[in-house]
Amino acid sequence: IERMELVTRPVKVQVLVDNGMGTGNQLVQFRNGLKGFFNALPLGMEASLITLSPQPRWVVRSTNDRVQLTKGVDLIAPDTGATKFIDGLVEASERIDQDNRGRERYYPVIVVLSTTGPETSSSRERDLERMVQRFREQNVTVHIVMLGTGPQTTNTVTGARQVGVGKFVADDTRGRYEAIAAPTRVMTLLPEIGEMVAWAHLRQHQQYRITATRPEASTGPLGDLAMAITRPGVSGIASLDGRVPSQGP
């Protein structure tokens, strides 16, 4: 072991909300769920709020002001256009890639409340590939709540594109993907995810980074790595990138 150093790195959250075609009937449930989510976050954690129709648009820029975030939730209004679910994720990845550099780094979390309504993003395949690369490089965790609202037939499934992309990024970033059928579930599910984010922040914002070097002339596979804590009453979680599992307490 070469060194062990204390690393302080907070969690910052971007919340993306589908306010597109057909979401007017779910507005009360969406607002209640979002308020519950922000209330579950620890004081001082920065969060932002963005709507996805007619294009990704700021409602509240990154702030730790809980009152401002709550007021922003009440400003969300339904739009008649289609959602830009994928464009919203791509732009979120670009913001993280630009902001999360230098010494003041943080653990980025993206939470998306979407529906399976019409989706008309203009992002291309190369944009998605770059998005996924950014998520991996920046240790992003993405949680997706997907409310089923569109019609399904034997030939087409409305929302297939955002469902496919949403499932992939949630799995790839070790986040949570929840497909729900009842809008009332949003009011309890979003606060649950807020508690997960708070739990991760509690365990991630102060950690010890251990740097080890293999003995000289050692070659071949590393094999299994193990860590043990000998102090009574203390437990720990080991991670290669500093993120703890997203399941929460």
Side-chain angles (χ1 to χ4, degrees), residues 187-207:
M187 296 188 292
T188 56
L189 181 55
L190 283 181
E192 289 175 16
I193 294 176
E195 291 175 0
M196 288 170 48
V197 174
W199 183 86
H201 167 75
L202 178 64
R203 286 152 181 80
Q204 290 176 167
H205 81 286
Q206 286 192 327
Q207 303 182 71

Side-chain angles (χ1 to χ4, degrees), residues 222-242:
L222 278 175
D224 294 331
L225 300 177
M227 181 193 75
I229 297 176
T230 58
R231 183 174 178 177
V234 176
S235 60
I237 299 172
S239 169
L240 292 176
D241 59 11

Side-chain angles (χ1 to χ4, degrees), residues 140-161:
V140 181
T141 302
V142 183
H143 302 297
I144 305 286
V145 176
M146 188 67 65
L147 173 64
T149 58
Q152 299 187 16
T153 70
T154 55
N155 296 321
T156 62
V157 179
T158 303
R161 193 178 185 210

